[in-house]
Amino acid sequence: MPRRTPVREAHNGARIMAGMHALLSAFAPIWILTAIGYAVGRSGLLGAQAEAVLGRFVFHVAMPAALFTMVSGARLDTFANSSMVAFAAGTALVCGLGFLAAGRLFGRGTADRAIGSMTSGYVNSANLGIPVAVQVLGDASFVAQIILFQVLLVSPVILALLDSGTGAGAGTKPGSGKAAVFRRMLTMPVRNPIIMASLLGVAVSALGLRLPHALAHSCDLLGAAAVPTALITLGLSLNARPAAPGSAQLAQNTARPVRTARAEVVVAVALKTLVQPLTALAVGGPLLHLPEHQLLAVVLCSALPTAQNAFIYAQQYGLDTRLARNAVVASTVVSMGTLSLATWALGTTGS
């Protein structure tokens, strides 16, 4: 173990401070755009349907463009490694616990359990993970692997549960029979723009195709609107108002006691910001013996807050959005502490 000297200690301190500054810089756009959305909603500038319209734009247009651009330009063999095993272990555990907690503790149905699972384990890898990784780790290569993992493996499972729980787009009721469920599962890639865009991106990447510049640039421009519009939509949703009319299940969910709703958020945020990074640390450290820099990358990325995708998915499937909305906001606040702690605790071990 290298002997600590004043010069080494000063170097470590400067590096940690730079990491903290990077965290604040990465979080700032999230708070600013969410605040703008809240202010716009309070003013009524965009009208009563702004949240619904912008949410549909993100889900059906901008997010698919962003995912297609990212997946089509990625190497699909890059996320099969020990670091991803540690990250995936934490994700699988907390998503499973979130799903169980939503059902056993809070009496949620299948679709709402899927949102509970997503809020517990789906990290904000794109607009927050990339700037944090670049500043703290020096590069964002591992974050790119996480984005692929979430888009190609986690999202389809979540969307399948949402589709099964709501019968979206099939004209059938949830639980209407095995044949109907099987039919929905087969047609879901065609009906769901997120999965369709991801599959098209996989095909382009696997075939080694190059898109024409005009098409690629158009997708880039359209995809760039996904994150800021999602954050504006999230800010719009923070304006307290009666829930839009919906199903009986939605009415029942929105009528939940405040204490129950808060407890649900606390459980999701605890799983996301504490259990997930600690699980990744336990698997990546004692079990897989990852090198220190890789271990820091795994834990840091596992400690990222809930992605705003959870809110968009809940909104577009006609579910109660309060859990997703509040979990995104609360986990983003809490993760400032957990990310700082991870940077301080693991960022000096190899120095």
Side-chain angles (χ1 to χ4, degrees), residues 182-208:
F182 184 67
R183 187 164 56 249
R184 288 201 303 270
M185 291 296 293
L186 287 179
T187 59
M188 189 175 63
V190 179
R191 293 182 289 103
N192 190 293
I194 302 294
I195 296 181
M196 175 61 74
S198 301
L199 292 178
L200 288 175
V202 168
V204 170
S205 176
L207 295 173

Side-chain angles (χ1 to χ4, degrees), residues 9-30:
E9 292 288 352
H11 173 70
N12 289 342
R15 193 154 61 86
I16 291 173
M17 288 302 296
M20 303 303 179
H21 181 267
L23 292 179
L24 292 176
S25 299
F27 276 98
I30 294 177

Side-chain angles (χ1 to χ4, degrees), residues 124-181:
N124 190 339
S125 54
N127 63 307
L128 187 56
I130 290 176
V132 168
V134 168
Q135 295 296 327
V136 178
L137 302 173
D139 69 85
S141 57
F142 185 61
V143 177
Q145 298 170 31
I146 290 174
I147 294 174
L148 282 177
F149 169 74
Q150 292 193 144
V151 169
L152 299 180
L153 297 179
V154 180
S155 286
V157 174
I158 297 294
L159 290 168
L161 290 170
L162 288 170
D163 197 82
S164 173
T166 61
T172 56
K173 295 180 180 180
S176 57
K178 293 182 178 179
V181 172

